[in-house]
Amino acid sequence: MDRETFYIGAATAGHQVEGNNTNSDIWAMEQMKYGGYPEKSLDAADHYNRYKEDITLLKSAGLNAYRFSFEWARIEPKEGEFDEKEMQHYLDMVHFCKENDIEPIITLHHFASPKWLIEKGGWESEYVIEAFKRYTKYIAQNLSGEGIKYICTLNEANMGNLISIYIRQAKEQYEKQEGEKATLQIGLNLEEMKKEEEAKEKENIEVFGTPFPAVFVSPRSPKGNKIIMETHKAAVEILHEMLPDTKVGLTLSLRDVQAIPGGEEKAALDWHDEFEEFLPAIIDDDFVGVQNYTRAVFGENGELPPEDGAELTQMGYEFYPEGLPNVIRRVHASFKGEILVTENGIATDDDTRRVEFIRRAFDGVKACLEDGIPVKAYMYWSLLDNFEWQSGYTMRFGLIGFDRKTQERTVKESLAFLGNVNRIETNTL
Ligand code: GCO
């Protein structure tokens, strides 16, 4: 590997680790009865105030890059009004990384949006394209001269499709189960379900001014996907013009999609929804961020559950680190720009399994490099245990744990292991 261009580090997202992202849509939903969040992010890991401590731990372990997000809702808390103090906070983070020879890899949007954006139609309205251009221009003005190498515009631009896939699968399973039970019962409690839907829509109108807030992590319509891709392309154009030395791309959540005999067609459809639909929007980008956690195996009736006895992670994913090199190879077959592994990790309380996962995933990355695939970074998800969205604080992905009362950090063996991976790779270049 060419040492100058390979980064080994860890990733976070502002809303999940900073705490008190109070002007965001997700913060608002966390306070709602029907918002879908079982617990509130609150102070999270207080990374907003403790980022120096956390980046120092990353550095001391031997890592050389840190991927983190700017929170749009902090920087532009009111439409068209930018908060220079918050912009300075993120510039301070960039400077602290640089002072410590840590490469900052920046994400402009990581799932949370300003609440005002959702009130204006959110990610299903063309308005977001203009709003994101204005935000991107402001960021680019402030990053001028900072020597940023990589900017991700949108984290997991395909998440809306993935959520639609999950909802469709859940409905199919529900109908299948109800189909079996329906012969025994007379109908479902449709009345109850209808009342809850009405209450949810009423609460949405009170909070967002619309019964169906189009947040980034909503099921996305085909129109919404087009808007997401237009938003990304507009941001790429701005960043290329204003920050010509910065490489720009987006990240995609990509499962290693496999088929057993008879499942080929459904697997191909899924890979289209997860990846191929977005290829036209990224084909000329400098890089694509690949985010892989497991595989998805399809049979003739759709996605299959993990095999009996398969090792599962806290997320319920099959423990399958080989998914990462498989996805890198598949992406590279269609996308000839650089590939950054912007997320790869495991939710577990057994850190020995996290070490094994990283070892096998990184061995796969090395094999891809040896085959000439231009992988430029491996960013483990996540630097810190964090607020895993609608799973709350129940999923531990971090290389570093923390006590939610005292905020005291606990460094796990896996952080040192990943740091050694970096050292070993350095020595064998
Ligand atoms: C995502 C996000 C992260 C998650 C991580 C673990 O891809 O969903 O980038 O916010 O926390 O992937 O699920």
Side-chain angles (χ1 to χ4, degrees):
M1 269 184 296
D2 168 354
R3 183 72 186 78
E4 281 68 43
T5 63
F6 197 86
Y7 298 106
I8 297 183
T12 62
H15 191 89
Q16 295 180 265
V17 292
E18 289 175 343
N20 304 296
N21 190 14
T22 57
N23 292 307
S24 68
D25 53 349
I26 292 187
W27 180 271
M29 295 176 88
E30 292 169 16
Q31 321 309 316
M32 291 160 67
K33 181 175 182 195
Y34 299 103
Y37 289 81
E39 59 179 312
K40 300 175 180 175
S41 50
L42 302 173
D43 289 341
D46 193 30
H47 188 65
Y48 186 91
N49 298 305
R50 297 168 187 266
Y51 70 86
K52 289 185 179 178
E53 176 188 355
D54 296 329
I55 295 169
T56 302
L57 288 172
L58 176 148
K59 161 85 176 169
S60 314
L63 303 181
N64 63 14
Y66 178 39
R67 175 184 175 228
F68 59 99
S69 70
F70 289 1
E71 283 306 307
W72 186 2
R74 292 187 195 278
I75 294 171
E76 192 181 355
K78 285 194 176 63
E79 185 182 2
E81 291 179 27
F82 292 96
D83 185 330
E84 288 187 7
K85 185 177 67 62
E86 294 301 345
M87 185 67 244
Q88 188 56 52
H89 167 78
Y90 290 111
L91 287 171
D92 292 347
M93 286 186 75
V94 166
H95 297 153
F96 190 75
C97 285
K98 293 276 188 181
E99 287 154 20
N100 287 277
D101 294 324
I102 297 295
E103 188 57 43
I105 297 176
I106 293 166
T107 306
L108 299 187
H109 183 275
H110 197 129
F111 287 2
S113 307
K115 185 169 174 285
W116 57 259
L117 180 77
I118 309 307
E119 291 161 353
K120 302 269 302 199
W123 294 90
E124 290 284 342
S125 158
E126 279 81 3
Y127 172 67
V128 70
I129 301 171
E130 287 316 306
F132 198 76
K133 282 168 70 174
R134 179 178 57 212
Y135 167 58
T136 304
K137 278 181 191 147
Y138 179 78
I139 297 294
Q141 282 159 1
N142 282 278
L143 287 182
S144 174
E146 295 292 348
I148 301 299
K149 287 199 173 72
Y150 291 105
I151 292 181
C152 311
T153 57
L154 301 170
N155 176 73
E156 299 200 343
N158 61 345
M159 185 45 73
N161 269 11
L162 277 163
I163 291 170
S164 303
I165 291 169
Y166 296 153
I167 290 174
R168 186 172 67 239
Q169 285 176 339
K171 275 186 182 155
E172 283 163 4
Q173 283 168 349
Y174 184 79
E175 280 148 15
K176 184 165 168 287
Q177 286 163 6
E178 286 313 310
E180 285 151 16
K181 276 194 267 177
T183 52
L184 305 175
Q185 290 170 347
I186 300 169
L188 304 173
N189 192 340
L190 293 179
E191 259 322 293
E192 203 48 48
M193 287 165 73
K194 196 165 175 308
K195 267 194 216 135
E196 180 149 321
E197 273 311 306
E198 284 165 0
K200 182 175 177 181
E201 289 170 19
K202 184 168 174 293
E203 187 182 45
N204 280 333
I205 290 169
E206 284 162 10
V207 176
F208 291 106
T210 166
F212 306 108
V215 296
F216 193 83
V217 285
S218 303
R220 190 112 52 240
S221 71
K223 174 193 164 202
N225 272 333
K226 287 193 174 58
I227 288 171
I228 285 262
M229 291 188 256
E230 285 313 307
T231 301
H232 166 67
K233 289 194 293 187
V236 170
E237 200 176 321
I238 290 167
L239 292 166
H240 276 165
E241 188 189 323
M242 296 177 72
L243 301 174
D245 299 328
T246 300
K247 291 176 179 172
V248 185
L250 56 66
T251 83
L252 295 170
S253 178
L254 297 170
R255 300 178 298 169
D256 175 15
V257 176
Q258 301 177 0
I260 61 169
E264 294 82 356
E265 190 182 334
K266 287 201 183 276
L269 272 176
D270 184 274
W271 183 246
H272 170 269
D273 289 350
E274 291 199 28
F275 179 66
E276 289 167 340
E277 180 171 1
F278 300 89
L279 199 49
I282 67 171
I283 197 76
D284 297 326
D285 287 356
D286 304 307
F287 73 89
V288 64
V290 164
Q291 308 195 164
N292 170 264
Y293 290 90
T294 188
R295 65 174 170 177
V297 183
F298 286 81
E300 60 184 352
N301 296 319
E303 187 176 348
L304 298 167
E307 285 174 8
D308 285 347
E311 180 181 355
L312 303 181
T313 72
Q314 287 175 340
M315 292 288 281
Y317 300 160
E318 180 184 359
F319 181 98
Y320 194 76
E322 286 67 33
L324 178 60
N326 292 346
V327 166
I328 290 172
R329 292 179 187 283
R330 197 164 184 189
V331 167
H332 179 65
S334 317
F335 177 84
K336 298 307 177 192
E338 294 183 355
I339 292 177
L340 276 63
V341 176
T342 41
E343 289 181 26
N344 175 248
I346 172 175
T348 179
D349 282 332
D350 179 349
D351 198 47
T352 64
R353 298 313 290 157
R354 180 174 288 106
V355 168
E356 174 68 3
F357 186 92
I358 293 171
R359 188 184 61 76
R360 282 165 48 183
F362 196 81
D363 281 349
V365 168
K366 278 199 309 185
C368 292
L369 284 163
E370 282 150 14
D371 289 347
I373 298 175
V375 185
K376 299 297 179 185
Y378 174 87
M379 307 303 285
Y380 176 84
W381 181 271
S382 179
L383 178 63
L384 288 160
D385 286 345
N386 61 60
F387 180 70
E388 176 57 26
W389 310 113
Q390 297 191 1
S391 298
Y393 288 98
T394 60
M395 303 295 160
R396 260 92 48 200
F397 278 93
L399 297 166
I400 302 168
F402 71 99
D403 181 307
R404 290 198 56 207
K405 289 192 184 61
T406 65
Q407 289 292 353
E408 186 185 353
R409 271 57 177 146
T410 308
V411 172
K412 302 176 193 176
E413 280 304 307
S414 48
L415 178 62
F417 178 83
L418 189 59
N420 282 329
V421 165
N422 191 31
R423 288 193 189 90
I424 293 161
E425 293 319 317
T426 308
N427 296 331
T428 53
L429 284 182

